[in-house]
Amino acid sequence: MAQFGEEDIRRVREANDIVSVISDRVPVRQKGRDFWCCCPIHEEKTPSCKIDPAAQLWHCFGCGAGGDVYAFIMQVDDLGFPDAVRKLSERGNIPITETGGKAGVAKGYKVRLGEVCKEAAAFYHTQLMRSTDANAQGARSYLAARGFGGDVPKKWQLGFAPGNDLLVKHLRKLGFKDQEIIDANVAVSSRGRLKDRFYNRIMFPIGDIQGAAIAFGGRILGDGEPKYLNSQETPIFHKSEVLFGLDKAKATLASTGVAVVVEGYTDTIALHEAGITNVVATLGTALTAQHIRILARHAKNKIVYLFDGDEAGQRAADRALGFIDDSITPEKGRLKIRLAAATLPEKLDPADFVAEKGADALRALIDDAQDLIEYGIERRLARWDLNDAESRSRAVADAISILAPIKDSLLAKDYAVKIAGKVPRMKEEGALALLAQLKVPRSFDGASSPANVGTGTASGTGAGAGNMRAEAGVKPLRLPQAELNRRRFEREFLSLCAHHPELGLTHSQTLAQTQWHEAIHAHLAERILEVLSRDAQISAAELVSAVAAEIPKAASILTSGAMGEKTDFATLARFLIEELEIGDAEDTVAALKVQLNDTKNLSAEEQELLFGSVVAMQKDITRRRQEHIGIEYSVEHA
């Protein structure tokens, strides 16, 4: 994984003001010192996302998400940290250096690489349309046989790569440097010699959202492997962010509200030429969450994943079930778009289906596409013989397992009841019992949903306890109000130290000695101390980012402090510290009382000493409570 120097990360962060970055996505308005907006991560009508320009941090009090500017870009655009750094470096026009001495790419150089791709696409197209070479003629014949004759090659700027280093020579004549040609991935260096990357292949230019060529896919003529060769990742091309044909499909996506995703270049072209113009394709990869986010910006109603009827298509269909998560449930509702799927019959691909049965038949198939959950359930049930008692039990378990990521939602319960209705002799109660026993799978990074982080409603002695009970199907216990308050005070103090690192330094002893009631709070305090010990001048955003790098839930907790504009932070710190210290003393008294009850193992003298300690400590706690300062602090939502 790419890594960046701390100085580069700092400069990129400083070049991207958090208010400006967020206002690029959603309207923001100022209220006092802070700014507020409707959270772009989940749907809401009343602004609950607070932006602190002084600390360069944000937090949504609706879904619990928060962090620095990197965390915002990672969550909203579904990017990893390296890609977030790259994206913000471009926005701020800050050159960066990646591990191994590979220079980060400045905006001007990316423009240059785009020009390489543009000229390469024009070269390939000219070779297809005008070359008298036998291989070029073979490429034209292949395309004509697939129905891609006439003006199709011009419309899609299809091409032919002859190889023999002809492209390299052409680009050099145009003044491009060898490194530019390599970085655009249209050539490779082998034994000190620059060679064309694509040889004897029909070329499909891959465009950005405006249609400018940024990469290529090449299909070999005749036999050979790989059948399709795609551009590797480059500074201007990232597969997870690009969909073939999106530039041509975006208008129809917006007008119909529906996007259709297929798996191949030729399928996309064939469907567009048949008049179905809301079609895009992934680039040799499965559909990703980032693809879905991109499509959702254009098609507001539905995304239909169209699977080939062959074995590879069915494997892709199974992988697609991984997109079932709580974002599609009405309760969470972050993703306000319907995910649907359909499989083509008779092992056909989309291009063959349209050729044999016509565009109207495919439109009907798309219109009848099932919701992704229902589609998955039907596929699972179809694997089993429902006339056999043992198979019926396994079929139900297999189908209900799809619902594990959303097991606690009303939607999951509805589908469990539907599954029972599809299986002979299966009772609804039995299906619901199986649903309750499911374990919620961990997310890919081990982090919980932001909405579940730091709420203070989990039971047990730490954040993990509530999760274990949920996985075991046990209803969480409701904590006493005093314990809920204690955990809230812990979060407030940690958040205060994160927003004001100088207070964290001043009260480092409290961070080190507090008897934290949440295991994650103890971990956060330890990590904050480590970071502050290395850099006493660190900014709030840098501190939160450094802690979050090791603790996925950190950003949500450390940005959640209910500090208003008029808060006296030093007074708030003193109030919270006194609350924590008094609470720790009360914990100690409770532990001593437990020892006093163990009369069998205590001598009379030991009992007397313990009793005296308990009385003295209780008096001290009473005194401290009476002298304890009162303070009002709350978040006033915009």
Side-chain angles (χ1 to χ4, degrees):
M1 180 182 290
Q3 295 183 350
F4 307 92
E6 291 185 5
E7 180 62 21
D8 280 351
I9 293 173
R10 183 190 62 77
R11 289 190 302 112
V12 170
R13 182 188 285 108
E14 290 177 351
N16 289 275
D17 176 72
I18 187 70
V19 177
S20 176
V21 171
I22 294 179
S23 66
D24 286 347
R25 307 303 179 89
V26 291
V28 304
R29 66 187 182 93
Q30 189 170 8
K31 188 170 185 181
R33 179 177 66 90
D34 300 319
F35 290 78
W36 292 83
C37 67
C38 287
C39 179
I41 298 172
H42 77 287
E43 200 75 21
E44 64 178 12
K45 296 181 179 179
T46 302
S48 64
C49 185
K50 174 185 175 182
I51 312 164
D52 185 339
Q56 287 292 295
L57 295 170
W58 63 279
H59 182 86
C60 175
F61 292 93
C63 69
D68 67 348
V69 69
Y70 289 122
F72 179 81
I73 291 297
M74 290 166 69
Q75 295 230 27
V76 173
D77 291 344
D78 196 25
L79 299 177
F81 182 72
D83 284 335
V85 175
R86 295 186 188 103
K87 190 162 191 170
L88 289 173
S89 72
E90 292 177 30
R91 184 184 184 279
N93 199 25
I94 302 296
I96 55 177
T97 301
E98 299 189 20
T99 297
K102 181 179 178 181
V105 182
K107 187 174 181 179
Y109 191 66
K110 289 192 175 187
V111 171
R112 187 70 171 167
L113 297 185
E115 291 173 351
V116 172
C117 290
K118 176 184 176 181
E119 294 298 339
F123 172 83
Y124 291 142
H125 184 65
T126 299
Q127 292 295 311
L128 175 68
M129 303 303 290
R130 298 182 183 178
S131 175
T132 58
D133 180 83
N135 288 332
Q137 292 175 357
R140 291 192 288 270
S141 298
Y142 172 85
L143 291 171
R146 291 297 304 265
F148 297 155
D151 65 347
V152 173
K154 181 179 180 181
K155 186 187 302 183
W156 292 85
Q157 205 178 11
L158 304 182
F160 174 70
N164 297 321
D165 305 338
L166 294 180
L167 175 63
V168 169
K169 295 174 183 176
H170 174 73
L171 293 174
R172 281 172 170 167
K173 287 181 181 178
L174 294 176
F176 292 105
K177 298 177 182 179
D178 285 2
Q179 193 59 52
E180 293 171 335
I181 300 171
I182 293 172
D183 288 344
N185 203 228
V186 295
V188 294
S189 179
S190 176
R191 299 178 181 179
R193 175 188 169 193
L194 202 59
K195 301 174 62 176
D196 288 1
R197 173 173 171 75
F198 298 97
Y199 174 80
N200 198 29
R201 291 180 180 271
I202 296 172
M203 300 302 292
F204 300 85
I206 299 167
D208 60 16
I209 190 64
Q210 285 79 36
I214 56 174
F216 298 92
R219 189 198 188 283
I220 197 166
L221 280 177
D223 298 328
E225 292 295 336
K227 182 177 179 181
Y228 279 94
L229 179 65
N230 298 315
S231 291
Q232 296 175 345
E233 298 264 322
T234 73
I236 60 172
F237 172 59
H238 303 288
K239 290 181 181 179
S240 66
E241 300 176 14
V242 179
L243 289 154
F244 180 75
L246 181 58
D247 57 302
K248 291 180 171 60
K250 61 185 179 183
T252 311
L253 298 185
S255 63
T256 64
V258 178
V260 179
V261 182
V262 298
E263 296 182 0
Y265 306 116
T266 54
D267 291 329
T268 303
I269 296 173
L271 297 190
H272 274 257
E273 294 306 310
I276 305 174
T277 56
N278 57 335
V279 180
V280 297
T282 53
L283 303 172
T285 65
L287 192 70
T288 67
Q290 175 69 354
H291 288 141
I292 290 176
R293 287 182 184 273
I294 292 170
L295 288 172
R297 296 171 193 164
H298 302 278
K300 301 298 184 182
N301 299 330
K302 181 171 68 172
I303 298 173
V304 178
Y305 207 158
L306 200 57
F307 299 107
D308 294 357
D310 59 13
E311 184 178 346
Q314 295 314 292
R315 287 197 300 269
D318 288 332
R319 289 195 301 270
L321 299 180
F323 289 115
I324 296 173
D325 61 22
D326 65 359
S327 68
I328 66 176
T329 64
E331 293 97 320
K332 299 292 184 180
R334 294 195 305 272
L335 186 65
K336 293 296 184 181
I337 191 166
R338 177 186 168 201
L339 300 181
T343 295
L344 294 164
E346 303 169 22
K347 297 185 178 181
L348 296 173
D349 64 27
D352 292 336
F353 183 93
V354 168
E356 290 187 19
K357 303 182 183 295
D360 287 341
L362 186 61
R363 288 192 183 95
L365 188 69
I366 293 169
D367 290 341
D368 293 337
Q370 296 174 294
D371 284 337
L372 185 58
I373 296 177
E374 185 177 354
Y375 174 84
I377 288 171
E378 295 285 356
R379 283 178 51 77
R380 294 288 176 89
L381 292 178
R383 297 174 179 177
W384 302 93
D385 179 6
L386 299 184
N387 295 316
D388 178 77
E390 184 177 348
S391 290
R392 281 199 298 270
S393 297
R394 293 182 177 179
V396 173
D398 193 14
I400 284 183
S401 66
I402 291 173
L403 305 175
I406 60 170
K407 60 164 290 189
D408 295 321
S409 67
L410 294 175
L411 185 65
K413 293 177 175 63
D414 286 343
Y415 272 112
V417 171
K418 288 182 180 180
I419 291 171
K422 294 174 182 291
V423 178
R425 302 180 184 177
M426 185 66 195
K427 294 183 178 180
E428 293 179 3
E429 295 81 2
L432 291 170
L434 285 174
L435 177 68
Q437 293 169 11
L438 293 176
K439 292 184 177 181
V440 179
R442 295 180 181 275
S443 60
F444 70 94
D445 61 355
S448 298
S449 169
N452 297 326
V453 176
T455 60
T457 58
S459 57
T461 57
N467 294 336
M468 287 188 287
R469 286 196 178 90
E471 290 178 359
V474 179
K475 186 177 180 179
L477 299 174
R478 179 67 184 178
L479 293 174
Q481 188 60 47
E483 178 62 16
L484 293 176
N485 288 340
R486 164 68 188 212
R487 298 186 184 201
R488 180 166 63 93
F489 291 142
E490 290 182 4
R491 291 194 304 275
E492 289 289 342
F493 180 67
L494 291 169
S495 181
L496 182 63
C497 291
H499 277 78
H500 302 276
E502 70 280 3
L503 288 176
L505 285 169
T506 301
H507 302 296
S508 59
Q509 187 173 356
T510 301
L511 286 169
Q513 296 181 358
T514 295
Q515 300 171 26
W516 304 99
H517 283 211
E518 288 267 20
I520 192 171
H521 294 169
H523 195 184
L524 288 171
E526 181 181 359
R527 181 67 180 140
I528 288 172
L529 284 170
E530 289 176 3
V531 175
L532 290 175
S533 68
R534 292 201 305 266
D535 184 2
Q537 304 299 318
I538 195 168
S539 69
E542 289 171 325
L543 175 58
V544 171
S545 181
V547 177
E550 291 191 8
I551 309 172
K553 298 178 183 179
S556 178
I557 296 173
L558 296 181
T559 58
S560 65
M563 293 169 280
E565 180 186 353
K566 298 180 180 179
T567 300
D568 182 330
F569 301 117
T571 302
L572 175 58
R574 187 159 63 91
F575 167 80
L576 293 171
I577 290 169
E578 287 183 359
E579 282 287 348
L580 296 177
E581 289 179 349
I582 292 172
D584 287 352
E586 289 172 337
D587 289 345
T588 301
V589 168
L592 290 176
K593 286 182 177 180
V594 171
Q595 292 183 46
L596 271 174
N597 292 331
D598 188 15
T599 56
K600 292 181 180 180
N601 297 315
L602 290 175
S603 66
E605 183 179 358
E606 288 172 331
Q607 290 183 47
E608 184 177 352
L609 286 172
L610 276 177
F611 181 77
S613 297
V614 168
V615 171
M617 291 188 68
Q618 284 180 326
K619 287 182 178 180
D620 185 60
I621 291 170
T622 301
R623 178 188 59 78
R624 294 187 68 176
R625 282 288 181 202
Q626 292 173 345
E627 297 176 356
H628 184 30
I629 64 171
I631 184 171
E632 294 291 334
Y633 65 102
S634 63
V635 171
E636 184 182 358
H637 282 227

